[in-house]
Every structure is written in structure tokens, then in C-alpha cells.
Amino acid sequence: MEQAKQYIESHTFNDISMMEFYRQVFVYNSSSTDKKLKLEELKIGLTTNYKVRVMIMNVVIDTSNAELKSYSIHYDRDTNYFNVTEKKRGENEIRPSATEVLTRFDKYKNRITFPKGDYSYYNVNFYSSGSIGPGDNLYALNDEGLHLIKGRSLEGLIFMVYGDPVKKEDSPIYYIMPY
């Protein structure tokens, strides 16, 4: 666990690989095990120089058993806190593969633009897997680049980016990584 904590502390947002971090925490070698790990939540708080300040990642092991296991990773740079806890879950919801989300996120995250303004922090949150649009602050991220999406809906992995503290006139920017 200490190696994963050191990894996240020593990289900026542009240089970090969430898949590398994930693999250091969940030391699995089997791709079949990776397919069973589903992402429930990912929230990353960044400093203005794009270092990870806080992070929450929740994954669920999707097995054929009635009782699911959930793991929660919490990191807070300010309090030097890093912990992974296991929880038992009773509900079985459809969730995207953790490796799929994190691999796509690593591939396209450097195309994310952060809001301009007088912010103390930035936040990047995994919003959902599904459909979104149309909207004013909606962008598609793919191999061709960053594209403003107006007048249509897209399906994919949706991330929300916003500055903190949130001001009355602010609205989050949504990024979708199409399937």
C-alpha cells in the first residue's frame, strides 16, 4: 500500500496512470479477475498545480455470489491519510469495468481542460456510464481530440470537472469518452 501512496504523491495529474495506481492497490495478475472488478465511484481533487490532493475510489467485485464485496480507497494529502477498506454489499447494480474506465481515463485525461477562474482546487469525478446530451458544457474525448457536442446525445463514460469553491455562475464541464 505504501508504494501506491508514494506513486500518487510523486506524480501530477498529467503524469499519473490510474491503471498503474489501481494495479498497485489491487495486486491482481489475472485479466479474468480484472473483469470482475467494477468501478462504483472515482473522485479526484487536485491542487492548482495539478497534484492529487484527495481521492476516493470505490470498486465492487462482481461475483456470482449473492453477497458482493466492495473496496474503498481513500487518500488525503493534507492529513497524510491513505487507507483501503473492505465492505460487504448487498445490491447488484450494473457497473462498468474498473479497468475499462481507468484505461480510457488514462488515454484521454490529458485532453481535459480545467475551468478558468480563481479556484483553490479542481475536481474530476466519474459521473456515470451511459448517455448524456445535448448540453452547453459537453465535450467528447476520443482519438481525434476534444470536440464540443451540441444538439445530440452520446453514450460512453462520463466525467465531470469543476473548480472549487463552486461559484453561483459556475457549471461543471462534462467529458464523455464514447464506447
Side-chain angles (χ1 to χ4, degrees), residues 79-146:
T79 61
N80 197 29
Y81 180 78
F82 182 81
N83 196 19
V84 178
T85 56
E86 180 183 343
K87 301 183 247 180
K88 300 214 185 261
R89 308 275 314 204
E91 67 230 34
N92 193 359
E93 300 173 17
I94 296 175
R95 297 176 182 91
S97 160
T99 55
E100 178 185 355
V101 174
L102 298 177
T103 299
R104 283 184 186 262
F105 183 72
D106 283 346
K107 184 175 183 178
Y108 298 123
K109 71 177 170 44
N110 291 344
R111 294 183 178 160
I112 290 174
T113 58
F114 292 91
K116 305 289 186 237
D118 186 24
Y119 297 107
S120 301
Y121 307 106
Y122 298 108
N123 295 291
V124 179
N125 297 346
F126 174 64
Y127 186 70
S128 72
S129 174
S131 179
I132 191 169
D136 291 334
N137 290 327
L138 175 61
Y139 296 87
L141 293 167
N142 58 28
D143 290 336
E144 287 79 44
L146 177 68

Side-chain angles (χ1 to χ4, degrees), residues 11-154:
H11 291 81
T12 64
F13 181 73
N14 287 341
D15 299 328
I16 201 167
S17 165
M18 290 308 294
M19 266 309 294
E20 176 63 26
F21 173 75
Y22 163 85
R23 290 209 182 276
Q24 287 182 10
V25 173
F26 298 103
V27 187
Y28 291 112
N29 296 321
S30 166
S31 62
S32 64
T33 304
D34 277 345
K35 291 177 185 171
K36 292 179 182 178
L37 287 169
K38 306 296 183 181
L39 187 68
E40 185 174 54
E41 179 178 29
L42 175 62
K43 294 181 178 183
I44 304 171
L46 303 170
T47 64
T48 54
N49 62 353
Y50 307 106
K51 296 286 267 183
V52 176
R53 181 180 64 85
V54 293
M55 183 175 61
I56 297 171
M57 181 188 299
N58 291 321
V59 295
V60 175
I61 298 180
D62 188 10
T63 64
S64 58
N65 298 340
E67 195 170 282
L68 303 174
K69 287 185 181 180
S70 176
Y71 292 91
S72 185
I73 304 166
H74 289 263
Y75 169 74
D76 186 327
R77 179 184 297 270
D78 296 340
T79 61
N80 197 29
Y81 180 78
F82 182 81
N83 196 19
V84 178
T85 56
E86 180 183 343
K87 301 183 247 180
K88 300 214 185 261
R89 308 275 314 204
E91 67 230 34
N92 193 359
E93 300 173 17
I94 296 175
R95 297 176 182 91
S97 160
T99 55
E100 178 185 355
V101 174
L102 298 177
T103 299
R104 283 184 186 262
F105 183 72
D106 283 346
K107 184 175 183 178
Y108 298 123
K109 71 177 170 44
N110 291 344
R111 294 183 178 160
I112 290 174
T113 58
F114 292 91
K116 305 289 186 237
D118 186 24
Y119 297 107
S120 301
Y121 307 106
Y122 298 108
N123 295 291
V124 179
N125 297 346
F126 174 64
Y127 186 70
S128 72
S129 174
S131 179
I132 191 169
D136 291 334
N137 290 327
L138 175 61
Y139 296 87
L141 293 167
N142 58 28
D143 290 336
E144 287 79 44
L146 177 68
H147 312 279
L148 179 62
I149 303 300
K150 288 200 177 233
R152 66 180 183 162
S153 295
L154 289 176

